[in-house]
Amino acid sequence: MKNILVIGSFGQIGSELTPELRKRYGSSHVVAADLCPKPDSPLADGPVEKLDITDAEALAGLVKKYSIDTIINLAAILSAVGEKKPMLAWNIGVNGMLNCLEVARELGCAVFTPSSIAAFGPDTPADDTPQDTIQRPCTMYGVTKVTGELMSDYYFKKYGVDTRSVRYPGIISNVTLPGGGTTDYAVEIYYDAVKKGSYTSPLGAGTFLDMMYMPDAIDACINLMEADPSKLKHRNSFNISAMSIDPEMLAAEIRKHLPGFVLNYDIEPVKQGIANSWPNSMNDSCAREEWGWKPNWNLQDMTADMLKVVGEKFAKGLI
Ligand code: NAD
Ligand code: AKB
């Protein structure tokens, strides 16, 4: 990766991945693009461009302008919002992603478009979910992710486009709030623990899902894109996970730091239905074997760090 275009760079993952890429590859080599870039954002320390991923001509123009060799495509409508706006989710998740693949084919770029645990469905084995298994998701978001995986593999096999990706689990972070997914609760719980001492969970006790702290999610993207291609038997997309947790486990860990923390439940049927259709825990042995995937953060360390950082933001009146 020499010149990188990050599309959707102002979202939850992009707002942390873009600065890390700039640290490693140089600020002027990493272009931050989004539908509505914020001028006062820390990302203004390097090139920032307004881009609608569904505009193929504008996308090709940026790739040429900056001699881009790698497109990191983070634009998406996440699972919960996607159920309210399925056609928008399809347009961005599939048509936008196809624009990236076509531009990459014509102009010789590598492409990373993350998939998700949402690429699985109720017929998938829920525990220790294999790398290669049944994928019949029941959300529009999941349909876009399976389509993205298939099309990315198609472009690699037919045209030699260097496509690689991971199936991210729920990402927990403290810079930018999540954008409307089912796993958002696992971020919100920390903010509410600090601000109110309590949290009302939309998912019930015993709803196990894979999760990961943001530094591991960033490493996964960069390490996979830098991996030796001759070692990759899979490409789109690799299961990766750091922990399998439910709301009770998160609350118990938070109580080690904030003993009075109270967890309540008010189940949101749409989110609960989506969560029930996703794996409880994925098997990520192929990622470990093929490109050395290994998470550095567990529930204990992540919780201590989340409460510290969110606590500092609260003390400064930032949240
Ligand atoms: P997000 O919703 O926080 O950010 C998405 C960004 O895309 C936003 O900044 C948005 O403005 C931008 N965007 C939307 N429409 C666009 C368009 N038409 N053109 C250009 N930009 C547009 O999402 P995220 O959580 O950062 O996720 C990034 C990627 O990782 C997505 O593909 C998502 O499916 C995947 N993923 C995320 C998680 C997670 O827990 N955050 C888990 C699994 C997979
Ligand atoms: C969502 O909940 O929609 C995302 C995801 C797991 O893909 N966070």
Side-chain angles (χ1 to χ4, degrees):
M1 294 196 281
K2 287 196 181 74
N3 294 318
I4 305 165
L5 173 64
V6 185
I7 305 173
S9 57
F10 285 72
Q12 187 193 5
I13 296 177
S15 61
E16 297 197 55
L17 176 61
T18 310
E20 184 58 33
L21 288 168
R22 284 183 173 164
K23 216 187 282 171
R24 298 194 197 189
Y25 299 91
S27 281
S28 61
H29 295 277
V30 181
V31 181
D34 208 302
L35 209 45
C36 303
K38 299 175 196 102
D40 54 348
S41 147
L43 296 189
D45 73 344
V48 173
E49 294 278 356
K50 187 176 164 67
L51 173 71
D52 181 342
I53 195 173
T54 62
D55 182 344
E57 220 172 291
L59 172 54
L62 281 188
V63 168
K64 286 180 196 156
K65 177 176 172 185
Y66 291 98
S67 305
I68 296 297
D69 60 59
T70 305
I71 300 172
I72 310 271
N73 166 25
L74 303 176
I77 300 296
L78 301 189
S79 58
V81 176
E83 288 311 286
K84 292 190 187 127
K85 300 175 181 173
M87 286 304 107
L88 180 66
W90 174 269
N91 196 28
I92 293 168
V94 174
N95 295 330
M97 180 264 316
L98 283 173
N99 285 343
C100 293
L101 292 175
E102 269 298 290
V103 167
R105 178 177 71 79
E106 283 167 12
L107 301 174
C109 306
V111 183
F112 176 85
T113 303
S115 185
S116 161
I117 48 174
F120 297 116
D123 306 320
T124 304
D127 295 308
D128 202 29
T129 304
Q131 171 67 38
D132 302 309
T133 184
I134 301 165
Q135 291 184 259
R136 305 284 294 175
C138 52
T139 60
M140 179 55 85
Y141 176 62
V143 170
T144 70
K145 290 302 178 194
V146 175
T147 310
E149 291 187 11
L150 292 172
M151 289 307 294
S152 297
D153 271 348
Y154 181 83
Y155 269 69
F156 170 64
K157 286 179 189 143
K158 190 163 175 83
Y159 303 117
V161 177
D162 186 359
T163 56
R164 310 178 187 192
S165 71
V166 295
R167 294 179 183 133
Y168 278 135
I171 306 299
I172 298 173
S173 67
N174 51 49
V175 172
T176 301
L177 288 171
T182 303
T183 60
D184 292 12
Y185 95 88
V187 177
E188 293 161 359
I189 194 170
Y190 289 106
Y191 280 74
D192 276 12
V194 167
K195 289 197 286 190
K196 305 183 202 158
S198 66
Y199 178 65
T200 301
S201 173
L203 301 184
T207 307
F208 280 85
L209 291 168
D210 287 295
M211 300 279 176
M212 181 180 294
Y213 200 28
M214 184 62 88
D216 280 332
I218 289 171
D219 281 349
C221 167
I222 297 174
N223 293 345
L224 174 58
M225 292 312 282
E226 291 290 6
D228 176 353
S230 71
K231 302 263 164 47
L232 301 180
K233 293 188 198 109
H234 296 84
R235 278 182 169 261
N236 303 283
S237 298
F238 285 94
N239 286 0
I240 55 166
S241 181
M243 59 195 92
S244 167
I245 52 177
D246 83 325
E248 290 292 320
M249 284 176 73
L250 270 175
E253 200 55 41
I254 290 171
R255 278 190 204 106
K256 290 183 188 166
H257 303 263
L258 303 171
F261 176 69
V262 176
L263 177 61
N264 300 307
Y265 290 97
D266 183 7
I267 306 305
E268 283 183 34
V270 172
K271 284 190 177 176
Q272 185 67 58
I274 295 173
N276 290 348
S277 76
W278 289 353
N280 301 328
S281 63
M282 286 187 290
N283 181 314
D284 59 8
S285 54
C286 289
R288 288 173 188 263
E289 283 157 24
E290 293 176 37
W291 51 277
W293 159 247
K294 192 170 169 293
N296 289 312
W297 290 83
N298 60 22
L299 175 60
Q300 291 71 29
D301 297 340
M302 176 185 75
T303 298
D305 199 56
M306 279 296 287
L307 291 174
K308 179 174 157 285
V309 177
V310 176
E312 284 164 3
K313 280 184 158 188
F314 186 60
K316 288 182 190 155
L318 297 174
I319 56 169

